[in-house]
Amino acid sequence: MDSIGNFLGTLTGLGFGLALLNYPVKWINKRWISKLPKDSSVRQLYLTLMKWIVKNHRYFALAAAVALVIHLTLQITFKWVSSTGLIAAGLLISTVLLGAYGFVVLKGKRGKWLNVHQLLTVLTVFAILVHDSLKF
């Protein structure tokens, strides 16, 4: 059961990590890539990658949330639940729910919710790192 739990935890981290790329790829584009000539092959390749990441951001987050729920259910049922894991799970679910709210209800309009969503993301990264290193 440990290997399944570890796999699901890794899958959660992978989905979250892919969703996390949304901000830095946009920042890199704004800062450097957009200044390259329009016919630059680097620019074209980067824009293709960026569009794929941005378009699938919500699906990566959803995949992370689904993997997390399965991971947490298995941990509760067959093993034990760590306090650091519960904190990381709560932050990740809060981040996903706020992102879904911003996308569905607010139709992606920027506002304070986006700042909170980004703050929760940073806190979630730290919580996952602590959870992965301490495991208690």
Side-chain angles (χ1 to χ4, degrees):
M1 194 52 63
D2 279 348
S3 60
I4 294 172
N6 287 337
F7 172 73
L8 287 167
T10 300
L11 205 57
T12 302
L14 181 64
F16 181 66
L18 286 169
L20 191 65
L21 288 175
N22 193 55
Y23 182 81
V25 296
K26 288 179 178 178
W27 185 81
I28 289 168
N29 180 59
K30 187 175 184 178
R31 181 108 181 180
W32 292 298
I33 301 299
S34 65
K35 295 173 182 162
L36 294 174
K38 293 208 186 282
D39 61 345
S40 166
S41 59
V42 171
R43 181 179 175 158
Q44 295 305 317
L45 181 64
Y46 190 85
L47 289 177
T48 302
L49 175 68
M50 183 181 81
K51 286 177 185 177
W52 181 76
I53 290 170
V54 170
K55 182 177 82 170
N56 292 299
H57 171 75
R58 63 180 165 247
Y59 302 116
F60 298 143
L62 182 60
V66 168
L68 170 69
V69 168
I70 297 169
H71 175 63
L72 186 58
T73 302
L74 288 176
Q75 289 299 116
I76 290 169
T77 306
F78 296 108
K79 196 169 178 181
W80 55 276
V81 180
S82 69
S83 55
T84 59
L86 286 175
I87 293 167
L91 286 168
L92 192 141
I93 293 297
S94 298
T95 304
V96 169
L97 289 175
L98 185 57
Y101 172 76
F103 178 74
V104 174
V105 176
L106 301 177
K107 308 282 190 231
K109 293 179 187 152
R110 298 178 76 92
K112 298 264 187 222
W113 75 270
L114 186 58
N115 298 105
V116 175
H117 177 68
Q118 292 169 338
L119 175 64
L120 285 172
T121 300
V122 172
L123 295 174
T124 303
V125 168
F126 287 118
I128 288 172
L129 291 173
V130 168
H131 170 62
D132 194 47
S133 64
L134 296 181
K135 303 272 188 190
F136 67 84

